[in-house]
Amino acid sequence: MNVIASVARAVPRKITGTGPVFRSIWLWRWILAAITLVATLVVFAFSLESGLDLARRQARQRLVITEAVLRAAVNRYEYLPTVLALDTQVQALLGAVDAPDRIADVNAKFETIAAASSVSAIYLLDAGGLTRSASNWNRPLSFVGASYAYRPYFTAAKATGISRYFGVGTTTGQPGLFIGKAVSGPDGRVAGVVVVKVDLEALQGEWRAAGEQVLISDAAGVVFLASEPAWKYRPFLPVGVAEAARIRAERQYGDSALKPLLDGEQADLAGVIDLPVGDRTVSGLVERAAVPDLSWTVWYVTPTGPALRQAVLAALVAGIACLAMAFALAARSQRKRRLQSEQSMRLALEQRVAERTEDLSAANDRLRGEIAERERATAALRATQDELIHAGRLAALGQISTAINHEINQPLAALRTFLASTAKFLERGDLATVGRNLERMTGVTQRISEIIRHLKAFARKTGTEHREAVALRATAEAVLDLLQARIRSEGVAVTCAIPPEAFVQAEPVRLEQVLLNLIVNALDAMRDAPERLLHLTAVREADSSWRLSVADSGGGIAQEHMGQVFDPFFTTKTTGEGLGLGLSLSSLIVRDLGGNIAAANDERGAVFAIVLPAAKG
Ligand code: ADP
């Protein structure tokens, strides 16, 4: 079985998206999205609230400081009209308002004090509100001669002794705080009013420089000092008709149209208000504080933009942090799932591999058993083969025994005859003939020993391979020698065309046995033939081998027997003549020697060809 394919089947393809894992992933995603949204909103709200709270607290602190600065600016000059009202020269002037020297004295005094104290102007009104002396007596826009009887700071000071009033100067057009103090005459009645005009405009520059948005409004709600010039002389909310008429009559804020800063919807003036600045509006948290003795209100506006931006930023950070956390959690759980799936895959794989390993080792054991069995069978076969070769050899011996008998008996008979005749020639003293006979007898014994040597070699049961370079010609001659008697008796004509350089790599004895078989078969086949021709040839084939052919004129092999001649025990000879082992054993031997044997017919008879590997001669 294909191990890889079966292992692959055991491995899950991938995690499909339809199981409970998938649903829980989606649920988690929704939960994380909801948590992120809620966290973002909560952080936004909390951050905005705390940002606004901080802005409100800072505004309150700034308000306290602004009010203190304003009060200090006002109080710094509070004493000045009171002191001047007690001045004898002032009082003297009011006693003789047309006396030029007195006017000159007071003018000089006022001019000096105004310059020293940095107030806008100091001037003296008589009981009718006409200006008798002023610090700016020598300037083009001098107050001297002007009547301010309609101005509240005159009437209030006349009525109550002291007055404070913010308004735009009718002569100069410059705004300022007018502080009035009644001057008593010798009779105790009000003889006039000393007025000090304080310039508060510089405060606005300070607020602007500090980037603060500050407004000061009067009792009627009209803004008269502001960090932004566009807000000045405008009420927060629309003023009543009577109030507007009064302001205009007093010329408090010059020609201002008293256009309200806010629309009616922001009537409560608390929380966040939108103030116009040119084409745009500034949104700000408004905090206010009353300045009771002046009947003024100080407004401090803190822009909400920074708090809003900070809240958005914090919400963004929270959202991103939540998302990052969600991603980290998702990545972690995904990694965990992947590890789990990898682990289960690995386990399945290991299990499969273990199973396959067991299968393989079982198959291995089986194979080993089969190999051992085959080796045993091969050994048995080899033993049988050896036995058969030996038996074949003995059979061949049996076949040629008659010829051998004849071959050996003849020389033995010849020897006996020679011995008898030699004894007689010895008695006669014919030593020359004795010598010749002895020579012949030596030749005969040599021939006998030669035949016996071949027979011994043939009959010996050969053991393991012993290959060497064997000369085909010598082998053929040896075999022909063995069969010489039969060849001669049967009148067989032998031709041998084997070149002397034909050497093959073989076992000499076994090769002889093969050749002996082939030649004996050829002789058998030609026994009844009209002419008996045995032809041996050897030709070089493909450089690496030699082809040895044994051709006879015995009529050949019947076509129907052609495929069987190499089968063991196939014989066409009568019982006792042939065992049918010769060719099968020869075939085995030739194959053992690394060659092959084939049978064919030519026009006269059978041709057996042995091909064997060539050897160096
Ligand atoms: P056996 O010689 O004992 O019969 P072999 O195996 O040597 O056994 O030969 C098998 C048979 O092959 C012979 O019986 C014969 O029929 C046939 N055969 C062998 N050599 C020849 C040949 N040269 N010519 C014709 N037939 C042959």
Side-chain angles (χ1 to χ4, degrees):
M1 192 191 288
N2 186 339
V3 176
I4 295 170
S6 61
V7 170
R9 271 199 301 282
V11 175
R13 296 267 180 275
K14 61 175 180 180
I15 298 165
T16 53
T18 51
V21 174
F22 175 77
R23 278 197 296 279
S24 75
I25 286 172
W26 273 106
L27 188 68
W28 267 110
R29 281 183 188 166
W30 281 115
I31 290 172
L32 287 172
I35 289 173
T36 305
L37 189 70
V38 169
T40 308
L41 289 176
V42 166
V43 168
F44 176 77
F46 182 76
S47 174
L48 184 63
E49 188 49 46
S50 69
L52 290 178
D53 199 46
L54 182 71
R56 225 174 270 129
R57 266 185 283 128
Q58 281 176 349
R60 263 183 237 123
Q61 285 170 8
R62 293 301 306 160
L63 202 56
V64 171
I65 294 166
T66 307
E67 197 215 332
V69 170
L70 179 69
R71 201 181 283 278
V74 173
N75 289 347
R76 195 182 306 153
Y77 305 107
E78 195 79 48
Y79 72 94
L80 196 53
T82 308
V83 171
L84 290 173
L86 298 172
D87 186 87
T88 49
Q89 280 182 315
V90 170
Q91 287 176 353
L93 175 60
L94 286 175
V97 290
D98 292 323
D101 55 330
R102 291 187 184 184
I103 291 169
D105 286 348
V106 173
N107 278 347
K109 182 172 257 179
F110 282 0
E111 189 181 3
T112 309
I113 292 170
S117 61
S118 306
V119 295
S120 291
I122 302 171
Y123 51 105
L124 180 66
L125 309 177
D126 63 16
L130 190 72
T131 308
R132 293 296 174 175
S133 171
S135 56
N136 56 8
W137 60 275
N138 52 357
R139 306 265 172 86
L141 291 174
S142 169
F143 296 167
V144 179
S147 171
Y148 298 111
Y150 62 96
R151 299 284 269 181
Y153 58 80
F154 171 71
T155 48
K158 223 180 141 184
T160 63
I162 188 127
S163 69
R164 268 184 296 232
Y165 179 76
F166 192 94
V168 177
T170 48
T171 310
T172 58
Q174 294 292 318
L177 175 66
F178 298 87
I179 307 169
K181 177 70 185 169
V183 183
S184 301
D187 51 357
R189 290 174 49 189
V190 176
V193 172
V194 180
V195 182
V196 173
K197 186 182 176 185
V198 179
D199 185 4
L200 295 176
E201 294 291 289
L203 287 173
Q204 300 174 127
E206 286 171 20
W207 298 333
R208 264 199 296 279
E212 292 176 324
Q213 286 160 333
V214 183
L215 304 93
I216 316 288
S217 66
D218 63 11
V222 180
V223 174
F224 59 88
L225 280 177
S227 53
E228 188 61 49
W231 295 334
K232 278 172 77 173
Y233 314 134
R234 293 175 65 181
F236 275 104
L237 299 171
V239 289
V241 180
E243 193 73 344
R246 178 192 65 76
I247 292 166
R248 288 202 185 95
E250 289 172 4
R251 296 187 56 75
Q252 189 175 5
Y253 300 119
D255 303 324
S256 169
L258 300 175
K259 193 180 164 209
L261 284 169
L262 308 175
D263 52 30
E265 285 171 22
Q266 301 184 58
D268 59 347
L269 286 179
V272 179
I273 58 168
D274 294 332
L275 288 169
V277 179
D279 295 339
R280 62 189 177 94
T281 53
V282 171
S283 283
L285 257 178
V286 65
E287 284 294 326
R288 56 180 158 176
V291 191
D293 47 339
L294 290 164
S295 302
W296 293 349
T297 307
V298 182
W299 306 79
Y300 194 92
V301 181
T302 314
T304 50
L308 194 68
R309 277 197 292 279
Q310 199 175 335
V312 169
L313 199 71
L316 265 177
V317 169
I320 288 167
C322 272
L323 280 178
M325 221 158 70
F327 276 122
L329 279 174
R332 197 164 151 255
S333 77
Q334 219 159 10
R335 213 176 108 246
K336 210 167 144 194
R337 271 200 305 281
R338 202 177 59 234
L339 281 177
Q340 277 170 355
S341 101
E342 274 175 11
Q343 201 173 8
S344 66
M345 276 163 69
R346 204 172 49 243
L347 282 177
L349 204 66
E350 280 171 6
Q351 199 181 339
R352 275 283 160 184
V353 169
E355 282 171 20
R356 292 300 111 204
T357 309
E358 272 176 30
D359 287 355
L360 278 176
S361 72
N364 209 15
D365 288 350
R366 268 202 309 280
L367 266 178
R368 218 174 278 142
E370 279 173 21
I371 288 167
E373 185 61 32
R374 197 155 294 177
E375 275 171 355
R376 273 196 299 279
T378 308
L381 268 177
R382 197 171 288 280
T384 309
Q385 183 189 332
D386 286 351
E387 287 305 317
L388 283 174
I389 289 170
H390 190 59
R393 194 174 289 121
L394 291 177
L397 269 178
Q399 277 178 342
I400 61 171
S401 61
T402 320
I404 292 165
N405 205 21
H406 177 256
E407 189 71 16
I408 293 176
N409 278 345
Q410 240 191 0
L412 279 176
L415 264 184
R416 269 197 299 274
T417 312
F418 275 132
L419 274 172
S421 62
T422 305
K424 284 202 175 112
F425 284 125
L426 197 63
E427 279 171 19
R428 282 183 210 154
D430 187 354
L431 287 178
T433 310
V434 167
R436 263 199 315 277
N437 274 0
L438 281 174
E439 255 174 54
R440 281 179 188 160
M441 282 192 290
T442 308
V444 168
T445 53
Q446 269 175 354
R447 170 115 195 104
I448 292 168
S449 70
E450 189 84 348
I451 291 167
I452 288 168
R453 189 173 64 83
H454 282 306
L455 281 173
K456 263 168 71 185
F458 184 73
R460 196 177 66 232
K461 188 175 177 180
T462 56
T464 48
E465 284 183 10
H466 168 66
R467 289 189 196 167
E468 58 186 60
V470 182
L472 285 179
R473 190 157 152 175
T475 309
E477 278 169 358
V479 174
L480 288 171
D481 254 8
L482 266 175
L483 298 169
Q484 203 183 24
R486 187 176 168 189
I487 289 167
R488 211 180 302 145
S489 72
E490 291 177 5
V492 178
V494 178
T495 52
C496 183
I498 301 175
E501 72 272 14
F503 276 85
V504 292
Q505 192 69 23
E507 287 176 68
V509 177
R510 301 182 83 190
L511 183 59
E512 256 177 39
Q513 186 184 351
V514 171
L515 205 52
L516 184 75
N517 269 330
L518 296 182
I519 294 173
V520 166
N521 277 349
L523 295 178
D524 286 350
M526 292 188 294
R527 193 172 283 154
D528 301 323
E531 55 166 357
R532 293 163 194 158
L533 301 170
L534 180 67
H535 185 51
L536 302 180
T537 53
V539 290
R540 185 89 184 189
E541 197 176 76
D543 250 21
S544 58
S545 51
W546 283 97
R547 173 188 290 267
L548 174 63
S549 300
V550 180
D552 62 54
S553 56
I557 305 162
Q559 206 54 45
E560 68 267 27
H561 297 152
M562 194 57 95
Q564 296 170 282
V565 291
F566 292 105
D567 291 350
F569 303 109
F570 174 78
T571 180
T572 55
K573 293 167 190 169
T574 50
T575 321
E577 272 197 344
L579 281 171
L581 280 172
L583 285 180
S584 64
L585 292 179
S586 298
S587 161
L588 281 174
I589 291 169
V590 171
R591 264 187 275 140
D592 253 13
L593 295 174
N596 62 69
I597 183 167
N601 284 328
D602 66 7
E603 63 275 10
R604 280 197 293 260
V607 182
F608 281 84
I610 308 166
V611 178
L612 283 168
K616 284 182 185 164

